[in-house]
Amino acid sequence: MTTQEQQLRHIRAWQSSGLSQTSYCRKHGLNSKTFGNWLRVYRRTQLRSQPGSMVPVTITPAVPVTDYLRLRCSGGHTLEVPANVSPQWLGELLKCLD
């Protein structure tokens, strides 16, 4: 059984070796599945130890809406929808208003 320090030494040696995981394991007499498990645990630990970061994001509409369709319904109601509304969606909406 290997210690975590030995596992870490193998992982770092593999990273700097330029060898594939399989080649490194063959060269050092390691089981490649076991080494893969060490590597998975190591990567998970590394991800947890990295601080989260905030990235500023600006959200803008894909297409600026400047035009509207005004639909006058029976009963005096007016429905205003963006001019770039999906025709399929608008058709379904109008079916509901009947």
Side-chain angles (χ1 to χ4, degrees):
M1 184 161 206
T2 60
T3 66
Q4 285 183 336
E5 285 179 10
Q6 290 171 321
Q7 292 173 13
L8 185 57
R9 262 188 264 133
H10 274 296
I11 290 169
R12 289 185 176 153
W14 164 71
Q15 288 172 329
S16 63
S17 72
L19 297 172
S20 69
Q21 287 181 35
T22 305
S23 297
Y24 181 85
C25 290
R26 257 192 234 122
K27 183 176 180 179
H28 294 278
L30 299 171
N31 180 299
S32 60
K33 287 186 180 184
T34 301
F35 184 79
N37 288 334
W38 296 348
L39 189 56
R40 189 176 73 260
V41 169
Y42 169 76
R43 287 177 175 160
R44 207 179 300 145
T45 304
Q46 293 301 306
L47 287 175
R48 284 188 199 136
S49 66
Q50 294 177 351
S53 61
M54 300 290 282
V55 177
V57 175
T58 304
I59 300 173
T60 57
V63 177
V65 179
T66 56
D67 295 324
Y68 291 90
L69 298 174
R70 287 188 183 89
L71 307 170
R72 291 205 169 88
C73 304
S74 60
H77 300 290
T78 301
L79 178 64
E80 192 173 275
V81 295
N84 64 348
V85 70
S86 159
Q88 289 82 12
W89 180 85
L90 186 57
E92 291 298 316
L93 176 67
L94 293 175
K95 283 182 195 175
C96 293
L97 295 177
D98 283 341

Coordinates of all heavy atoms in Angstrom, one line a residue:
M1 N 0.8 -1.2 0.0 CA 0.0 0.0 0.0 C 0.9 1.2 0.0 O 1.9 1.3 0.7 CB -0.9 0.0 1.2 CG -1.9 1.1 1.3 SD -3.1 0.6 2.4 CE -4.5 1.4 2.0
T2 N 0.5 2.2 -0.8 CA 1.3 3.4 -0.9 C 0.7 4.6 0.0 O -0.5 4.6 0.2 CB 1.4 3.9 -2.3 OG1 0.1 4.2 -2.8 CG2 2.1 2.9 -3.2
T3 N 1.5 5.4 0.4 CA 1.0 6.6 1.2 C 0.6 7.7 0.2 O 1.0 7.6 -1.0 CB 2.1 7.2 2.1 OG1 3.2 7.7 1.3 CG2 2.7 6.1 3.0
Q4 N -0.1 8.7 0.7 CA -0.5 9.8 -0.2 C 0.7 10.5 -0.7 O 0.7 11.0 -1.8 CB -1.4 10.7 0.6 CG -2.8 10.2 0.8 CD -3.7 11.1 1.5 OE1 -3.3 12.0 2.2 NE2 -5.0 10.9 1.3
E5 N 1.8 10.6 0.1 CA 3.0 11.3 -0.4 C 3.6 10.5 -1.6 O 4.0 11.2 -2.5 CB 4.0 11.4 0.7 CG 3.7 12.4 1.8 CD 4.7 12.5 2.9 OE1 5.8 11.8 2.8 OE2 4.4 13.2 3.9
Q6 N 3.6 9.2 -1.5 CA 4.1 8.4 -2.6 C 3.2 8.6 -3.9 O 3.7 8.7 -5.0 CB 4.2 6.9 -2.2 CG 5.3 6.7 -1.2 CD 5.2 5.2 -0.7 OE1 4.1 4.7 -0.5 NE2 6.4 4.6 -0.5
Q7 N 1.9 8.6 -3.7 CA 1.0 8.8 -4.8 C 1.3 10.2 -5.4 O 1.3 10.3 -6.6 CB -0.4 8.7 -4.3 CG -0.8 7.3 -3.8 CD -2.2 7.3 -3.2 OE1 -3.0 8.3 -3.3 NE2 -2.6 6.2 -2.5
L8 N 1.4 11.2 -4.6 CA 1.6 12.5 -5.1 C 2.9 12.6 -5.8 O 3.0 13.2 -6.9 CB 1.6 13.5 -3.9 CG 1.7 15.0 -4.3 CD1 0.6 15.4 -5.3 CD2 1.7 15.9 -3.1
R9 N 4.0 11.9 -5.3 CA 5.3 11.9 -6.0 C 5.1 11.3 -7.4 O 5.7 11.8 -8.4 CB 6.3 11.2 -5.2 CG 7.2 12.1 -4.4 CD 8.4 11.4 -3.8 NE 7.9 11.1 -2.4 CZ 8.1 10.0 -1.8 NH1 8.7 9.0 -2.3 NH2 7.7 9.8 -0.6
H10 N 4.4 10.2 -7.5 CA 4.2 9.5 -8.8 C 3.4 10.4 -9.7 O 3.7 10.5 -10.9 CB 3.4 8.2 -8.6 CG 4.3 7.0 -8.3 ND1 5.3 6.6 -9.2 CD2 4.4 6.2 -7.2 CE1 5.9 5.5 -8.6 NE2 5.4 5.3 -7.4
I11 N 2.4 11.0 -9.2 CA 1.5 11.9 -10.1 C 2.4 13.0 -10.6 O 2.4 13.3 -11.8 CB 0.3 12.5 -9.3 CG1 -0.7 11.3 -9.0 CG2 -0.3 13.6 -10.1 CD1 -1.8 11.7 -8.1
R12 N 3.2 13.7 -9.8 CA 4.0 14.8 -10.3 C 5.1 14.3 -11.2 O 5.4 15.0 -12.2 CB 4.6 15.5 -9.1 CG 3.6 16.3 -8.3 CD 4.1 17.2 -7.2 NE 3.0 18.0 -6.6 CZ 3.1 18.4 -5.4 NH1 4.1 18.1 -4.6 NH2 2.0 19.1 -4.9
A13 N 5.7 13.1 -10.9 CA 6.7 12.6 -11.8 C 6.1 12.2 -13.2 O 6.7 12.5 -14.2 CB 7.3 11.3 -11.2
W14 N 4.9 11.7 -13.2 CA 4.2 11.4 -14.4 C 3.9 12.7 -15.2 O 4.1 12.7 -16.4 CB 2.9 10.6 -14.2 CG 2.0 10.7 -15.4 CD1 2.1 10.0 -16.5 CD2 0.8 11.4 -15.5 NE1 1.1 10.3 -17.4 CE2 0.3 11.2 -16.8 CE3 0.1 12.3 -14.7 CZ2 -0.9 11.8 -17.3 CZ3 -1.1 12.9 -15.2 CH2 -1.5 12.6 -16.5
Q15 N 3.4 13.7 -14.5 CA 3.1 15.0 -15.2 C 4.3 15.6 -15.9 O 4.2 16.2 -17.0 CB 2.5 16.0 -14.2 CG 1.1 15.6 -13.8 CD 0.6 16.5 -12.6 OE1 1.4 17.0 -11.8 NE2 -0.7 16.7 -12.6
S16 N 5.5 15.4 -15.3 CA 6.7 16.0 -15.9 C 7.4 15.1 -16.8 O 8.4 15.5 -17.5 CB 7.6 16.5 -14.8 OG 8.1 15.4 -14.0
S17 N 7.0 13.8 -16.9 CA 7.7 12.8 -17.7 C 7.4 12.9 -19.2 O 8.2 12.5 -20.0 CB 7.3 11.4 -17.2 OG 6.0 11.1 -17.6
G18 N 6.2 13.4 -19.5 CA 5.9 13.4 -21.0 C 5.3 12.1 -21.5 O 5.1 11.9 -22.6
L19 N 5.2 11.1 -20.6 CA 4.7 9.8 -20.9 C 3.2 9.8 -20.8 O 2.6 10.5 -20.0 CB 5.3 8.7 -20.0 CG 6.9 8.6 -20.1 CD1 7.3 7.6 -19.0 CD2 7.3 8.0 -21.4
S20 N 2.6 8.8 -21.5 CA 1.2 8.6 -21.2 C 1.1 7.9 -19.9 O 2.0 7.4 -19.3 CB 0.6 7.7 -22.3 OG 1.2 6.4 -22.2
Q21 N -0.2 7.9 -19.3 CA -0.4 7.2 -18.0 C 0.0 5.8 -18.1 O 0.7 5.2 -17.2 CB -1.8 7.3 -17.6 CG -2.2 8.7 -17.2 CD -3.7 8.7 -16.7 OE1 -4.2 7.8 -16.1 NE2 -4.4 9.8 -17.0
T22 N -0.4 5.1 -19.2 CA -0.1 3.7 -19.3 C 1.4 3.4 -19.4 O 1.9 2.5 -18.7 CB -0.8 3.1 -20.6 OG1 -2.2 3.4 -20.5 CG2 -0.6 1.7 -20.8
S23 N 2.1 4.2 -20.2 CA 3.6 4.0 -20.3 C 4.3 4.3 -19.0 O 5.2 3.6 -18.6 CB 4.2 5.0 -21.3 OG 3.6 4.7 -22.6
Y24 N 3.8 5.3 -18.3 CA 4.4 5.6 -16.9 C 4.2 4.5 -16.0 O 5.1 4.0 -15.3 CB 3.9 6.9 -16.4 CG 4.5 7.3 -15.0 CD1 5.7 8.0 -15.0 CD2 3.9 6.9 -13.8 CE1 6.3 8.3 -13.7 CE2 4.4 7.2 -12.6 CZ 5.6 7.9 -12.6 OH 6.2 8.1 -11.4
C25 N 3.0 4.0 -16.0 CA 2.7 2.9 -15.0 C 3.5 1.6 -15.4 O 4.0 1.0 -14.5 CB 1.2 2.5 -15.1 SG 0.1 3.9 -14.3
R26 N 3.6 1.3 -16.7 CA 4.4 0.1 -17.1 C 5.9 0.3 -16.6 O 6.5 -0.6 -16.0 CB 4.4 0.0 -18.6 CG 3.5 -1.1 -19.0 CD 3.7 -1.4 -20.5 NE 2.4 -1.3 -21.1 CZ 2.1 -0.5 -22.1 NH1 3.0 0.2 -22.7 NH2 0.8 -0.5 -22.6
K27 N 6.4 1.5 -16.8 CA 7.8 1.8 -16.5 C 8.1 1.6 -15.0 O 9.2 1.2 -14.6 CB 8.2 3.2 -17.0 CG 9.6 3.6 -16.8 CD 9.9 4.9 -17.4 CE 11.4 5.3 -17.1 NZ 11.7 6.6 -17.7
H28 N 7.1 2.0 -14.2 CA 7.3 2.0 -12.7 C 6.5 0.9 -12.0 O 6.5 0.9 -10.8 CB 6.8 3.4 -12.2 CG 7.7 4.5 -12.6 ND1 8.9 4.8 -12.0 CD2 7.5 5.4 -13.7 CE1 9.4 5.9 -12.7 NE2 8.6 6.2 -13.7
G29 N 6.0 0.0 -12.8 CA 5.4 -1.2 -12.2 C 4.1 -0.9 -11.4 O 3.8 -1.5 -10.4
L30 N 3.3 0.1 -11.9 CA 2.1 0.4 -11.2 C 0.9 -0.1 -12.0 O 0.9 -0.2 -13.2 CB 2.0 2.0 -11.1 CG 3.1 2.7 -10.4 CD1 2.9 4.2 -10.5 CD2 3.0 2.3 -8.9
N31 N -0.2 -0.4 -11.3 CA -1.4 -0.8 -11.9 C -2.0 0.5 -12.5 O -2.3 1.5 -11.8 CB -2.3 -1.4 -10.9 CG -3.7 -1.8 -11.5 OD1 -4.4 -1.0 -12.0 ND2 -3.9 -3.1 -11.4
S32 N -2.4 0.5 -13.8 CA -2.8 1.8 -14.4 C -4.2 2.2 -13.9 O -4.5 3.4 -13.8 CB -2.9 1.6 -15.9 OG -3.7 0.6 -16.3
K33 N -5.1 1.2 -13.5 CA -6.4 1.6 -12.9 C -6.2 2.2 -11.6 O -6.9 3.2 -11.2 CB -7.3 0.4 -12.8 CG -7.8 -0.1 -14.2 CD -8.8 -1.2 -14.0 CE -9.3 -1.6 -15.4 NZ -10.3 -2.6 -15.3
T34 N -5.3 1.7 -10.8 CA -5.0 2.3 -9.4 C -4.4 3.7 -9.6 O -4.9 4.6 -8.9 CB -4.0 1.4 -8.7 OG1 -4.6 0.1 -8.5 CG2 -3.7 2.0 -7.3
F35 N -3.5 3.8 -10.5 CA -2.9 5.2 -10.8 C -4.0 6.1 -11.2 O -4.1 7.3 -10.8 CB -1.8 5.1 -11.8 CG -1.1 6.4 -12.1 CD1 -0.2 6.8 -11.2 CD2 -1.5 7.2 -13.1 CE1 0.5 8.1 -11.4 CE2 -0.8 8.4 -13.4 CZ 0.1 8.8 -12.5
G36 N -4.9 5.7 -12.1 CA -6.0 6.5 -12.5 C -6.9 7.0 -11.4 O -7.4 8.1 -11.3
N37 N -7.1 6.1 -10.4 CA -7.9 6.5 -9.2 C -7.2 7.5 -8.4 O -7.8 8.5 -7.9 CB -8.2 5.2 -8.4 CG -9.2 4.3 -9.0 OD1 -10.1 4.8 -9.8 ND2 -9.2 3.0 -8.7
W38 N -5.8 7.3 -8.2 CA -5.0 8.3 -7.5 C -5.2 9.7 -8.2 O -5.4 10.7 -7.5 CB -3.6 8.0 -7.5 CG -3.2 6.7 -6.8 CD1 -3.9 6.0 -5.9 CD2 -1.9 6.1 -6.9 NE1 -3.2 4.9 -5.5 CE2 -1.9 4.9 -6.0 CE3 -0.7 6.4 -7.5 CZ2 -0.8 4.1 -5.9 CZ3 0.4 5.5 -7.4 CH2 0.3 4.4 -6.6
L39 N -5.1 9.7 -9.5 CA -5.1 10.9 -10.3 C -6.5 11.6 -10.2 O -6.6 12.8 -10.0 CB -4.8 10.6 -11.7 CG -4.6 11.8 -12.7 CD1 -3.5 12.7 -12.1 CD2 -4.2 11.3 -14.1
R40 N -7.6 10.8 -10.2 CA -8.9 11.3 -10.1 C -9.1 12.0 -8.7 O -9.6 13.1 -8.6 CB -10.0 10.2 -10.3 CG -11.4 10.8 -10.4 CD -12.4 9.7 -10.7 NE -12.6 8.8 -9.5 CZ -12.1 7.6 -9.3 NH1 -11.3 7.0 -10.2 NH2 -12.4 6.9 -8.3
V41 N -8.7 11.3 -7.7 CA -8.8 11.9 -6.3 C -7.9 13.2 -6.2 O -8.4 14.2 -5.6 CB -8.3 10.9 -5.2 CG1 -8.2 11.5 -3.9 CG2 -9.3 9.7 -5.2
Y42 N -6.7 13.1 -6.8 CA -5.8 14.3 -6.7 C -6.5 15.5 -7.4 O -6.5 16.6 -6.9 CB -4.5 13.9 -7.4 CG -3.6 15.1 -7.7 CD1 -2.9 15.7 -6.7 CD2 -3.5 15.6 -9.0 CE1 -2.0 16.8 -6.9 CE2 -2.7 16.7 -9.2 CZ -1.9 17.3 -8.2 OH -1.1 18.4 -8.4
R43 N -7.0 15.3 -8.6 CA -7.7 16.4 -9.4 C -8.9 16.9 -8.6 O -9.1 18.1 -8.6 CB -8.1 15.9 -10.8 CG -6.9 15.7 -11.7 CD -7.2 15.1 -13.0 NE -6.1 15.1 -13.9 CZ -6.0 14.3 -15.0 NH1 -7.1 13.5 -15.3 NH2 -4.9 14.3 -15.7
R44 N -9.7 16.0 -8.0 CA -10.8 16.5 -7.3 C -10.4 17.4 -6.1 O -11.0 18.4 -5.8 CB -11.6 15.3 -6.8 CG -13.1 15.6 -6.6 CD -13.9 14.4 -6.1 NE -13.8 13.3 -7.0 CZ -13.9 12.0 -6.6 NH1 -13.9 11.7 -5.4 NH2 -13.8 11.0 -7.5
T45 N -9.3 17.0 -5.4 CA -8.8 17.7 -4.3 C -8.3 19.1 -4.8 O -8.5 20.1 -4.1 CB -7.6 16.9 -3.6 OG1 -8.1 15.7 -3.3 CG2 -7.1 17.7 -2.4
Q46 N -7.6 19.1 -5.9 CA -7.1 20.4 -6.5 C -8.2 21.3 -6.8 O -8.1 22.5 -6.5 CB -6.2 20.1 -7.7 CG -4.9 19.4 -7.4 CD -4.1 20.1 -6.5 OE1 -3.7 21.3 -6.7 NE2 -3.7 19.4 -5.4
L47 N -9.3 20.8 -7.4 CA -10.4 21.7 -7.7 C -11.1 22.3 -6.5 O -11.5 23.4 -6.5 CB -11.5 20.9 -8.5 CG -11.1 20.6 -10.0 CD1 -12.1 19.7 -10.6 CD2 -10.9 21.8 -10.8
R48 N -11.2 21.5 -5.4 CA -11.8 22.0 -4.2 C -11.0 23.0 -3.5 O -11.5 23.9 -2.9 CB -12.0 20.8 -3.2 CG -13.2 19.9 -3.6 CD -13.5 18.9 -2.5 NE -14.3 17.9 -3.0 CZ -14.1 16.6 -2.8 NH1 -13.1 16.2 -2.0 NH2 -14.9 15.7 -3.3
S49 N -9.7 22.9 -3.7 CA -8.8 23.9 -3.0 C -8.6 25.2 -3.7 O -8.1 26.1 -3.1 CB -7.4 23.2 -2.7 OG -6.8 23.0 -4.0
Q50 N -9.1 25.3 -4.9 CA -9.0 26.5 -5.7 C -10.2 27.4 -5.2 O -11.3 27.0 -5.2 CB -9.1 26.3 -7.2 CG -7.9 25.6 -7.7 CD -8.1 25.3 -9.2 OE1 -9.1 25.5 -9.8 NE2 -7.0 24.8 -9.8
P51 N -9.9 28.7 -4.9 CA -10.9 29.6 -4.5 C -11.9 29.9 -5.7 O -11.4 29.9 -6.9 CB -10.2 30.9 -4.1 CG -8.9 30.8 -4.8 CD -8.6 29.3 -5.0
G52 N -13.1 30.0 -5.4 CA -14.1 30.4 -6.5 C -13.8 31.8 -6.9 O -13.2 32.6 -6.2
S53 N -14.2 32.1 -8.1 CA -14.0 33.5 -8.6 C -15.3 34.0 -9.3 O -16.0 33.2 -9.8 CB -12.8 33.5 -9.6 OG -13.1 32.7 -10.7
M54 N -15.5 35.3 -9.2 CA -16.6 35.9 -9.8 C -16.1 36.5 -11.1 O -15.1 37.2 -11.2 CB -17.2 37.0 -8.9 CG -17.7 36.4 -7.6 SD -19.1 35.4 -7.7 CE -20.3 36.6 -7.9
V55 N -16.9 36.4 -12.2 CA -16.6 37.0 -13.4 C -17.7 37.9 -13.8 O -18.9 37.5 -13.8 CB -16.4 35.9 -14.5 CG1 -16.2 36.5 -15.9 CG2 -15.4 34.9 -14.2
P56 N -17.4 39.2 -14.1 CA -18.5 40.1 -14.4 C -19.1 39.7 -15.7 O -18.4 39.3 -16.7 CB -17.8 41.5 -14.5 CG -16.3 41.2 -14.6 CD -16.1 39.8 -14.1
V57 N -20.4 39.8 -15.8 CA -21.2 39.4 -17.0 C -22.2 40.4 -17.3 O -22.8 41.0 -16.4 CB -21.9 38.0 -16.7 CG1 -22.8 37.7 -17.9 CG2 -21.0 36.9 -16.4
T58 N -22.3 40.8 -18.6 CA -23.3 41.7 -19.0 C -24.3 40.9 -19.9 O -23.8 40.3 -20.9 CB -22.7 42.9 -19.8 OG1 -21.7 43.5 -19.0 CG2 -23.7 43.9 -20.3
I59 N -25.5 41.0 -19.6 CA -26.5 40.3 -20.4 C -27.3 41.3 -21.2 O -27.8 42.3 -20.7 CB -27.5 39.5 -19.5 CG1 -26.7 38.5 -18.6 CG2 -28.6 38.8 -20.3 CD1 -27.5 37.8 -17.6
T60 N -27.3 41.1 -22.5 CA -28.0 41.9 -23.4 C -28.9 41.1 -24.3 O -28.6 39.9 -24.6 CB -27.0 42.7 -24.3 OG1 -26.2 41.8 -25.0 CG2 -26.2 43.7 -23.5
P61 N -30.0 41.6 -24.7 CA -30.9 40.8 -25.6 C -30.2 40.5 -26.9 O -29.4 41.3 -27.4 CB -32.1 41.7 -25.8 CG -31.9 43.0 -25.1 CD -30.6 42.9 -24.4
A62 N -30.4 39.3 -27.4 CA -29.8 38.9 -28.7 C -30.2 39.9 -29.8 O -29.4 40.2 -30.6 CB -30.2 37.5 -29.0
V63 N -31.5 40.2 -29.8 CA -32.0 41.2 -30.9 C -32.7 42.3 -30.1 O -33.6 42.0 -29.4 CB -33.0 40.5 -31.8 CG1 -33.5 41.4 -32.8 CG2 -32.3 39.3 -32.5
P64 N -32.2 43.5 -30.3 CA -32.9 44.6 -29.6 C -34.3 44.7 -30.1 O -34.6 44.7 -31.3 CB -32.1 45.9 -29.9 CG -31.1 45.4 -30.9 CD -31.1 44.0 -31.1
V65 N -35.3 44.8 -29.2 CA -36.7 44.9 -29.5 C -37.1 46.3 -29.6 O -37.1 47.0 -28.5 CB -37.5 44.1 -28.5 CG1 -39.0 44.2 -28.8 CG2 -37.1 42.6 -28.4
T66 N -37.4 46.8 -30.7 CA -37.8 48.2 -30.9 C -39.2 48.3 -31.4 O -39.9 49.3 -31.3 CB -36.8 49.0 -31.8 OG1 -36.8 48.3 -33.0 CG2 -35.5 49.1 -31.2
D67 N -39.6 47.2 -32.1 CA -41.0 47.2 -32.7 C -41.8 46.2 -32.0 O -41.4 45.1 -31.6 CB -40.9 46.8 -34.2 CG -40.1 47.9 -35.0 OD1 -40.3 49.1 -34.7 OD2 -39.4 47.5 -35.9
Y68 N -43.1 46.5 -31.9 CA -44.1 45.7 -31.2 C -45.3 45.4 -32.1 O -45.6 46.3 -33.0 CB -44.6 46.3 -29.9 CG -43.5 46.3 -28.8 CD1 -42.7 47.4 -28.7 CD2 -43.4 45.3 -28.0 CE1 -41.7 47.5 -27.8 CE2 -42.4 45.3 -27.0 CZ -41.6 46.4 -26.9 OH -40.6 46.5 -25.9
L69 N -45.9 44.3 -32.0 CA -47.1 44.0 -32.7 C -48.2 44.3 -31.6 O -48.2 43.8 -30.5 CB -47.2 42.6 -33.1 CG -46.2 42.1 -34.1 CD1 -46.3 40.6 -34.4 CD2 -46.3 42.8 -35.4
R70 N -49.2 45.0 -32.0 CA -50.4 45.2 -31.1 C -51.6 44.5 -31.7 O -52.0 44.8 -32.8 CB -50.7 46.7 -31.0 CG -49.6 47.4 -30.2 CD -50.0 48.9 -29.9 NE -49.0 49.5 -29.2 CZ -47.9 50.1 -29.7 NH1 -47.8 50.2 -31.0 NH2 -47.0 50.7 -29.0
L71 N -52.1 43.6 -31.0 CA -53.2 42.8 -31.4 C -54.4 43.2 -30.6 O -54.4 43.1 -29.3 CB -52.9 41.3 -31.2 CG -51.6 40.8 -31.8 CD1 -51.4 39.4 -31.3 CD2 -51.7 40.8 -33.3
R72 N -55.5 43.7 -31.2 CA -56.7 44.1 -30.6 C -57.6 42.9 -30.5 O -58.0 42.3 -31.6 CB -57.3 45.2 -31.3 CG -56.5 46.5 -31.1 CD -57.3 47.8 -31.3 NE -56.5 48.9 -30.9 CZ -55.7 49.6 -31.7 NH1 -55.6 49.2 -33.0 NH2 -55.0 50.6 -31.3
C73 N -58.0 42.5 -29.3 CA -58.8 41.3 -29.2 C -60.3 41.8 -28.9 O -60.5 42.9 -28.5 CB -58.3 40.5 -28.0 SG -56.6 40.0 -28.1
S74 N -61.2 40.8 -29.0 CA -62.6 41.2 -28.7 C -62.6 41.5 -27.2 O -61.9 41.0 -26.4 CB -63.5 40.0 -29.0 OG -63.1 38.9 -28.3
G75 N -63.5 42.4 -26.9 CA -63.6 42.9 -25.5 C -62.8 44.1 -25.2 O -62.7 44.5 -24.1
G76 N -62.1 44.6 -26.3 CA -61.3 45.8 -26.1 C -59.9 45.6 -25.6 O -59.2 46.6 -25.3
H77 N -59.5 44.4 -25.4 CA -58.2 44.2 -24.9 C -57.1 44.3 -26.0 O -57.4 43.9 -27.1 CB -58.0 42.8 -24.2 CG -59.0 42.5 -23.1 ND1 -58.8 43.2 -21.9 CD2 -60.1 41.8 -23.0 CE1 -59.8 42.8 -21.1 NE2 -60.6 41.9 -21.7
T78 N -56.0 44.8 -25.6 CA -54.9 44.9 -26.6 C -53.7 44.1 -26.1 O -53.3 44.2 -24.9 CB -54.4 46.4 -26.8 OG1 -55.6 47.1 -27.2 CG2 -53.3 46.5 -27.8
L79 N -53.2 43.2 -26.9 CA -52.0 42.4 -26.6 C -50.8 43.0 -27.4 O -50.9 43.1 -28.6 CB -52.3 41.0 -27.0 CG -51.2 40.0 -26.7 CD1 -50.8 39.9 -25.2 CD2 -51.5 38.6 -27.3
E80 N -49.8 43.3 -26.6 CA -48.6 43.8 -27.3 C -47.4 42.8 -27.1 O -47.1 42.4 -26.0 CB -48.2 45.2 -26.6 CG -47.2 45.9 -27.4 CD -47.0 47.3 -26.7 OE1 -47.7 48.3 -27.1 OE2 -46.0 47.5 -25.9
V81 N -46.9 42.4 -28.2 CA -45.8 41.4 -28.2 C -44.6 41.9 -29.1 O -44.9 42.7 -30.0 CB -46.2 40.0 -28.7 CG1 -47.3 39.4 -27.8 CG2 -46.7 40.1 -30.1
P82 N -43.4 41.5 -28.8 CA -42.3 41.9 -29.6 C -42.5 41.5 -31.0 O -43.0 40.4 -31.3 CB -41.1 41.2 -29.0 CG -41.5 40.8 -27.6 CD -43.0 40.6 -27.7
A83 N -42.0 42.3 -32.0 CA -42.2 42.0 -33.4 C -41.4 40.8 -33.8 O -41.7 40.1 -34.8 CB -41.7 43.2 -34.2
N84 N -40.3 40.4 -33.1 CA -39.5 39.3 -33.4 C -40.0 38.0 -32.7 O -39.3 37.0 -32.7 CB -38.1 39.5 -33.1 CG -37.8 39.7 -31.6 OD1 -38.7 39.9 -30.9 ND2 -36.5 39.7 -31.3
V85 N -41.2 38.0 -32.2 CA -41.8 36.8 -31.6 C -41.9 35.7 -32.6 O -42.1 35.9 -33.8 CB -43.1 37.1 -30.9 CG1 -44.2 37.3 -32.0 CG2 -43.6 36.0 -30.0
S86 N -41.7 34.4 -32.1 CA -41.8 33.3 -32.9 C -43.2 33.1 -33.5 O -44.2 33.2 -32.7 CB -41.5 32.0 -32.1 OG -42.0 30.9 -32.7
P87 N -43.4 32.9 -34.8 CA -44.7 32.8 -35.4 C -45.4 31.6 -34.8 O -46.7 31.6 -34.6 CB -44.4 32.6 -36.9 CG -43.1 33.1 -37.1 CD -42.3 33.0 -35.8
Q88 N -44.7 30.5 -34.5 CA -45.4 29.3 -33.9 C -45.9 29.6 -32.5 O -47.1 29.3 -32.2 CB -44.4 28.1 -33.8 CG -44.0 27.5 -35.1 CD -42.8 28.3 -35.8 OE1 -42.2 29.2 -35.2 NE2 -42.6 28.0 -37.1
W89 N -45.2 30.3 -31.8 CA -45.6 30.7 -30.4 C -46.8 31.6 -30.5 O -47.8 31.5 -29.8 CB -44.5 31.4 -29.6 CG -44.9 31.8 -28.3 CD1 -44.9 31.0 -27.2 CD2 -45.5 33.1 -27.9 NE1 -45.4 31.7 -26.1 CE2 -45.7 33.0 -26.5 CE3 -45.7 34.3 -28.5 CZ2 -46.3 34.1 -25.8 CZ3 -46.2 35.3 -27.8 CH2 -46.5 35.2 -26.4
L90 N -46.8 32.6 -31.4 CA -47.9 33.5 -31.6 C -49.1 32.8 -32.1 O -50.3 33.1 -31.6 CB -47.5 34.6 -32.6 CG -48.5 35.8 -32.8 CD1 -48.8 36.4 -31.4 CD2 -48.0 36.8 -33.8
G91 N -49.0 31.8 -33.0 CA -50.1 31.0 -33.4 C -50.8 30.3 -32.3 O -52.0 30.2 -32.2
E92 N -49.9 29.7 -31.4 CA -50.5 28.9 -30.3 C -51.2 29.9 -29.3 O -52.2 29.5 -28.8 CB -49.4 28.2 -29.5 CG -48.8 27.0 -30.3 CD -49.8 25.9 -30.6 OE1 -50.6 25.6 -29.7 OE2 -49.8 25.5 -31.7
L93 N -50.7 31.0 -29.1 CA -51.3 32.0 -28.2 C -52.6 32.4 -28.8 O -53.6 32.5 -28.0 CB -50.4 33.3 -28.1 CG -50.9 34.4 -27.3 CD1 -51.1 34.0 -25.8 CD2 -50.1 35.6 -27.4
L94 N -52.7 32.7 -30.1 CA -54.0 33.1 -30.7 C -55.0 32.0 -30.6 O -56.2 32.3 -30.4 CB -53.7 33.6 -32.1 CG -52.9 34.9 -32.2 CD1 -52.6 35.2 -33.7 CD2 -53.6 36.0 -31.5
K95 N -54.6 30.8 -30.7 CA -55.6 29.7 -30.5 C -56.2 29.7 -29.2 O -57.4 29.4 -29.0 CB -54.9 28.3 -30.8 CG -54.6 28.0 -32.2 CD -53.9 26.6 -32.2 CE -53.3 26.3 -33.6 NZ -52.5 25.0 -33.5
C96 N -55.4 30.0 -28.2 CA -55.9 30.1 -26.8 C -56.9 31.2 -26.6 O -57.7 31.1 -25.7 CB -54.7 30.2 -25.8 SG -53.6 28.8 -25.7
L97 N -56.7 32.3 -27.3 CA -57.6 33.4 -27.1 C -59.0 33.2 -27.8 O -59.9 34.0 -27.5 CB -56.9 34.7 -27.7 CG -55.6 35.1 -27.0 CD1 -55.0 36.3 -27.7 CD2 -55.9 35.4 -25.5
D98 N -59.1 32.2 -28.7 CA -60.4 32.0 -29.3 C -61.5 31.6 -28.4 O -61.3 31.0 -27.4 CB -60.3 30.9 -30.4 CG -59.6 31.5 -31.7 OD1 -59.6 32.8 -31.8 OD2 -59.1 30.7 -32.5

